[in-house]
Amino acid sequence: RFHPARDYDIPVTGDWSRDEAAIVAEDLSAFVETNRYDAVVAHLGAEAPIVHDVLPDAVLSTKDHPTSEDSLVALTRTLDQVAGSVRSVSKGARFAEEMSNIARFQLGDAGLDLVEGATFRGRFPDVRVLRGGEQVAMHTTRGMLSLTLAGGDILSKRDAYWIEIEDFLPVGNIFAVGVRDAAHEIRPGDEVAVRHEGEVRAVGAARLGWREMKDLRRGEAVHVRHGLERPP
């Protein structure tokens, strides 16, 4: 689960230690390596030098204090100038990029395969993800993608977030005793594809990490959302 910023208890004093500055610089460097921006506007106070060291081309818009009248006027002017110098992006393309970012954040590179060539239906946060007219996932108010069996098949073929079970059709939640193996990236809460010898038989949310699934003989391993129906 991803908590909103208001749920974090982080006191902000404006005084940055060297260790704190180094952490911010390292994280920011990693972020811009995997995310492309045509321009960066930094409207900051004490943090501005830290950001400027990492992004020397960033436009600093603060005059004194970030919320002062002069600074806010400067921010408005800066945004107008920067926005006028870059090409506009359609609403649909921007939304598709946002959904791709969610998928990649949640499922890594396999998440990009999940949404590649997809269309999106609904109003955020309730959005259906479809490929070739078939729903592969659903984005909901919990802020993550929930898999369908078709989506689980995509992840399984990508060899990501899979759980190998004994030869049975799940009729409810899956317990650790029935798990043979699991992908090492799985953590509690992750969306997973449950398979047997390549056939995806269920999808759901992991209740245990991959090692616990393999080592334990008791306990719920997967909370199943969708499963293959039994033949008549």
Side-chain angles (χ1 to χ4, degrees):
R1 183 178 179 184
F2 311 121
H3 299 280
R6 67 174 182 271
D7 290 343
Y8 290 98
D9 184 20
I10 301 176
V12 179
T13 63
D15 296 324
W16 290 79
S17 69
R18 291 183 179 179
D19 289 342
E20 290 171 334
I23 291 172
V24 171
E26 181 180 359
D27 289 346
L28 182 58
S29 297
F31 182 81
V32 296
E33 283 180 4
T34 56
N35 296 276
R36 181 177 57 82
Y37 293 92
D38 295 323
V40 176
V41 176
H43 190 74
L44 302 168
E47 306 88 350
I50 303 172
V51 173
H52 191 258
D53 286 343
V54 178
L55 301 172
D57 294 331
V59 180
L60 302 178
S61 58
T62 307
K63 295 300 183 182
D64 38 47
H65 190 276
T67 58
S68 71
E69 184 175 351
D70 288 343
S71 290
L72 294 177
V73 170
L75 175 61
T76 300
R77 291 174 179 170
T78 301
L79 291 176
D80 287 341
Q81 293 172 357
V82 171
S85 65
V86 297
R87 63 180 179 85
S88 61
V89 178
S90 69
K91 184 177 180 180
R94 179 176 178 178
F95 186 75
E97 181 69 19
E98 290 174 350
M99 294 302 297
S100 295
N101 289 338
I102 291 172
R104 183 179 63 178
F105 178 79
Q106 180 181 342
L107 300 166
D109 290 339
L112 295 180
D113 289 349
L114 184 69
V115 299
E116 182 179 4
T119 56
F120 306 98
R121 296 287 183 269
R123 177 174 294 180
F124 197 85
D126 299 315
V127 180
R128 298 165 60 212
V129 183
L130 300 100
R131 285 184 51 176
E134 184 176 28
Q135 184 171 334
V136 297
M138 178 79 183
H139 183 279
T140 63
T141 53
R142 71 189 187 115
M144 295 191 294
L145 295 172
S146 300
L147 297 173
T148 66
L149 287 173
D153 191 54
I154 293 173
L155 289 191
S156 178
K157 290 177 179 177
R158 188 65 166 73
D159 215 28
Y161 292 91
W162 54 267
I163 294 173
E164 185 75 17
I165 61 171
E166 302 288 349
D167 188 9
F168 65 91
L169 279 179
V171 294
N173 296 330
I174 297 170
F175 291 83
V177 68
V179 175
R180 286 182 176 178
D181 200 359
H184 289 194
E185 64 267 18
I186 293 175
R187 300 168 298 178
D190 283 341
E191 287 289 306
V192 293
V194 180
R195 69 189 188 187
H196 175 74
E197 296 183 353
E199 180 186 42
V200 174
R201 297 187 173 181
V203 292
R207 295 303 195 206
L208 301 172
W210 71 272
R211 186 177 295 278
E212 289 79 14
M213 291 183 189
K214 290 182 60 178
D215 294 347
L216 298 180
R217 297 291 88 192
R218 302 176 62 182
E220 184 181 333
V222 182
H223 182 78
V224 172
R225 183 179 301 105
H226 303 292
L228 280 180
E229 295 183 2
R230 288 179 174 273

